[in-house]
Amino acid sequence: MAELRLGPLLRYVDGETATVWVESDRPCTAEVRCADGAKGSTPTFRVAGHDYALIPVEGLAPGTETAYEVLLDGERVWPLPDSPFPPSTIRTPADPADEVRVSFGSCRWAISPTGEKDPMGPDALDTLAVRLAADPRAERPDVLVLLGDQVYADMTSPATKRWLAERRDLSEPPGDQVADYEEYAHLYDESWLDPEVRWLLSTVPSCMIFDDHDVIDDWNTSAAWLAEMRATPWWNERLLSGLMSYWVYQHLGNLPPADLETDPVYAEVRASADGTDALRAFAARADQDPPTRLPATAPQRQRSAPAPSECRWSYRRDFGRVRLLMVDTRAARVLDESRRAMLDEAEARWLREQALDEPGSYDHLLLGTSLPWLLPHLVHDAEGWNAALARGERGPRWARFAEDLRRRSDLEHWPAFPESFAALTDLIAEAGRGPDAPASICVLSGDVHHAYVAEPTWPRGDGPRSDVRVLQLTCSPMHNSIHVAIRLGFRFGWSRAGRALGRRFARHGRTARAKVDWRRTGGPWFGNHLMTLTLRGRRGALALDRARAGRDGSARLERVRDSVISG
């Protein structure tokens, strides 16, 4: 009899259809049956000895909520026997003008339930699950937007380190970091088998995108970094396994059923008795796409025929009149110092087309990018200064210094790619102009292990400027920590003294002044947080909740901020 190894995860939901992701312990037919008669089934597909299914559910009625169960080869495997949680349900929107509640955050380091002390404090996602399970009638998100670092391949838990030590010699690289697909699968087990989080992900739809720790810290920070990594004996397997597991565990569920039907990689993997080779070949192509990632003088691996769009990790989701664009800020980079870009040409073109598609058809534009667009002014100027030095603005000695500093100080956010920062700024301004502009544009980000709100202003003049409210909303981490020195550094970075120091960096690097100015209007807040946008028509509200431990050892979500963003 087939058994459920992991899941279910409720991923895509619209008015009539949904997708549910599961992993079983052997090949089988996976099925979802809903209390209202909606259903769906599909055979599992196999990758690296694991069996998965993304089950399409059809026949749902708009504006309803229905409980569902999962069956493998006709035998019910979910809900689990004697489950303490409410039934998992699928809730469909009734009307495009319905209220949409989007909860988001990033950086969730998982720890095995071994009874060991949790060094990171209460988990915000886990705490949300406990609150919703205790009161199923409470307001719940319509979607969870997880903005990167869903797993930490380079910072494993004590229990995972012990498990790795039983598999291989940890004195050999990559040591106690993950090395292959099986070890990535273990990370997802550790993260998603947490009982509360497992139930939450079974009943609240989710959208995900990777960040660096899903592969390795500072992934694709520079051409020199990438060349050094490719020269190691373990990197190729680590990267391909990271991309393969991301495709299986996170990326597939991001896609609407119509896109899945036309996805050539998904079709090839499902058509194979074992899809490992097909998926591995795709991951290798994705690693080489775009072909301009490295300088022309650097050795390029052979790249086969598929178009760049085949390897796109970015995607669009529409929730009624709310448009979400999730942007890949890791794998789409161009690293040649002479033309560094956060997004290659095809990716930048895709983002522009999606943001400007059908003006007037959406009331709120959400740009999901794991890395913040607007940072503390000192950090922004330091990253621009570093980028200028690294490309040789002050000569080769400064360039070598800048490369070393970039890696040690994580100077690789949007300002470290000045032309990309300017292009994103212009795109936001263009999307926010004219009679069909949305009521708000929000950039949703994580990565930096604190939460804050920043609001830009465009100088008056001939350049593009937004007519609507634009916000940088940064929420990180959901479950992690930050060193006290970095915490003090971020506070200083927002200060007047920090801004003055940043201007000195900019003068030394001969960097151009940004086309936009901004100010911090909330935060910085430190701890494990979730942000929630509640959007209805052209009205919008923002809430920030922090997970706090009680004296009895329990945790609760404490409201830190409520504010109106539009309407």
Side-chain angles (χ1 to χ4, degrees):
M1 175 179 147
E3 295 184 0
L4 186 65
R5 284 200 73 252
L6 189 60
L9 276 75
L10 179 60
R11 296 304 311 273
Y12 177 90
V13 174
D14 63 23
E16 299 176 344
T17 61
T19 59
V20 176
W21 182 97
V22 297
E23 180 184 355
S24 61
D25 70 341
R26 67 193 68 185
C28 62
T29 296
E31 181 181 1
V32 167
R33 294 179 187 171
C34 299
D36 66 356
K39 60 185 178 180
S41 66
T42 187
T44 57
F45 60 88
R46 170 159 284 210
V47 173
H50 292 254
D51 298 288
Y52 308 95
L54 187 63
I55 308 165
V57 182
E58 299 178 339
L60 295 164
T64 62
E65 182 175 1
T66 181
Y68 74 89
E69 57 186 14
V70 176
L71 300 89
L72 301 179
D73 283 342
E75 298 291 330
R76 194 180 86 161
V77 294
W78 185 270
L80 299 176
D82 303 318
S83 170
F85 298 101
S88 300
T89 63
I90 301 174
R91 181 185 294 178
T92 58
D95 185 272
D98 279 357
E99 180 178 276
V100 177
R101 188 173 293 107
V102 181
S103 291
F104 62 95
S106 78
C107 306
R108 182 175 177 267
W109 184 78
I111 186 169
S112 297
T114 58
E116 297 172 331
K117 183 179 179 181
D118 186 345
M120 307 299 183
D123 182 330
L125 206 60
D126 192 282
T127 307
L128 172 65
V130 170
R131 185 173 76 179
L132 295 180
D135 183 6
R137 297 168 300 176
E139 289 185 345
R140 78 183 195 196
D142 294 296
V143 63
L144 288 169
V145 175
L146 306 179
L147 292 160
D149 297 344
Q150 276 69 259
V151 293
Y152 279 74
D154 54 350
M155 192 175 76
T156 54
S157 70
T160 293
K161 287 181 173 65
R162 292 191 292 269
W163 180 82
L164 292 173
E166 294 174 357
R167 295 192 82 228
R168 55 181 171 84
D169 182 359
L170 298 190
S171 66
E172 298 291 332
D176 59 10
Q177 302 181 26
V178 303
D180 57 27
Y181 189 96
E182 186 63 30
E183 294 177 7
Y184 265 104
H186 180 85
L187 289 186
Y188 284 102
D189 287 350
E190 183 176 53
S191 182
W192 291 353
L193 282 176
D194 174 289
E196 288 77 18
V197 170
R198 188 180 193 182
W199 172 80
L200 179 70
L201 294 177
S202 77
T203 203
V204 178
S206 54
C207 295
M208 307 180 188
I209 195 73
F210 49 42
D211 197 20
D212 54 344
H213 291 285
D214 292 89
V215 176
I216 193 169
D217 189 25
D218 298 338
W219 177 27
N220 282 340
T221 192
S222 68
W225 177 93
L226 183 56
E228 288 182 18
M229 296 304 294
R230 286 180 172 173
T232 65
W234 56 272
W235 171 248
N236 189 58
E237 185 60 37
R238 164 73 158 270
L239 177 66
L240 295 185
S241 297
L243 293 177
M244 291 168 66
S245 60
Y246 174 77
W247 185 90
V248 170
Y249 287 85
Q250 299 191 50
H251 179 68
L252 273 184
N254 292 329
L255 305 180
D259 290 357
L260 288 168
E261 290 177 3
T262 60
D263 188 291
V265 181
Y266 187 48
E268 186 178 4
V269 169
R270 295 179 70 206
S272 306
D274 186 334
T276 306
D277 290 344
L279 186 55
R280 188 176 182 87
F282 165 76
R285 295 193 298 269
D287 180 38
Q288 296 307 309
D289 189 6
T292 56
R293 189 185 310 284
L294 290 175
T297 55
Q300 295 283 341
R301 299 176 188 171
Q302 184 65 36
R303 184 175 181 273
S304 51
S309 60
E310 186 208 8
C311 301
R312 175 169 295 123
W313 303 107
S314 301
Y315 60 96
R316 167 177 160 179
R317 293 283 299 274
D318 291 309
F319 303 93
R321 293 187 59 82
V322 177
R323 179 171 299 174
L324 170 66
L325 302 179
M326 292 287 270
V327 185
D328 164 19
T329 55
R330 286 292 171 183
R333 294 181 175 187
V334 177
L335 300 180
D336 184 342
E337 292 295 346
S338 66
R339 55 182 188 274
R340 266 173 72 88
M342 183 70 83
L343 309 178
D344 67 80
E345 289 183 10
E347 198 77 10
R349 184 169 56 251
W350 176 89
L351 177 59
R352 178 177 178 80
E353 290 171 352
Q354 300 303 315
L356 303 179
D357 184 37
E358 297 183 89
S361 65
Y362 58 90
D363 292 321
H364 301 274
L365 176 61
L366 310 182
L367 302 176
T369 161
S370 62
L371 303 176
W373 165 52
L374 301 179
L375 286 159
H377 297 95
L378 172 58
V379 178
H380 175 95
D381 287 333
E383 293 200 357
W385 164 77
N386 180 267
L389 298 186
R391 68 173 178 263
E393 185 69 31
R394 287 284 185 176
R397 284 186 60 191
W398 277 105
R400 290 191 295 271
F401 166 77
E403 175 63 26
D404 178 67
L405 181 64
R406 173 159 56 194
R407 299 190 202 183
R408 287 189 289 107
S409 303
D410 295 351
L411 302 179
E412 41 107 38
H413 300 83
W414 282 94
F417 300 81
E419 292 186 6
S420 296
F421 176 90
L424 180 61
T425 301
D426 286 346
L427 176 59
I428 290 171
E430 186 173 353
R433 296 182 70 182
D436 294 324
S440 72
I441 301 175
C442 297
V443 181
L444 315 183
S445 305
D447 181 69
V448 292
H449 289 208
H450 69 292
Y452 64 88
V453 179
E455 190 162 355
T457 55
W458 276 262
R460 295 191 179 276
D462 296 332
R465 59 192 307 272
S466 174
D467 299 326
V468 305
R469 194 170 189 192
V470 177
L471 294 172
Q472 168 69 66
L473 304 177
T474 303
C475 185
S476 167
M478 291 186 291
H479 185 232
N480 212 311
S481 61
I482 185 170
H483 193 278
V484 63
I486 300 176
R487 181 184 300 203
L488 292 172
F490 276 121
R491 289 190 183 278
F492 178 71
W494 284 113
S495 68
R496 290 184 178 180
R499 186 163 193 171
L501 179 59
R503 291 194 188 103
R504 301 191 67 167
F505 280 126
R507 286 195 293 272
H508 181 259
R510 301 167 181 157
T511 60
R513 192 177 186 89
K515 297 181 179 181
V516 66
D517 196 7
W518 61 96
R519 61 190 179 94
R520 174 176 51 86
T521 56
W525 297 286
F526 298 94
N528 295 324
H529 293 93
L530 276 173
M531 273 188 181
T532 300
L533 283 167
T534 302
L535 308 169
R536 185 182 183 91
R538 297 185 67 82
R539 299 194 304 273
L542 174 68
L544 176 68
D545 293 299
R546 178 179 179 180
R548 286 192 179 275
R551 293 182 178 178
D552 60 355
S554 64
R556 69 186 189 280
L557 286 177
E558 179 180 275
R559 183 59 49 89
V560 175
R561 179 187 175 105
D562 274 309
S563 59
V564 174
I565 66 167
S566 65

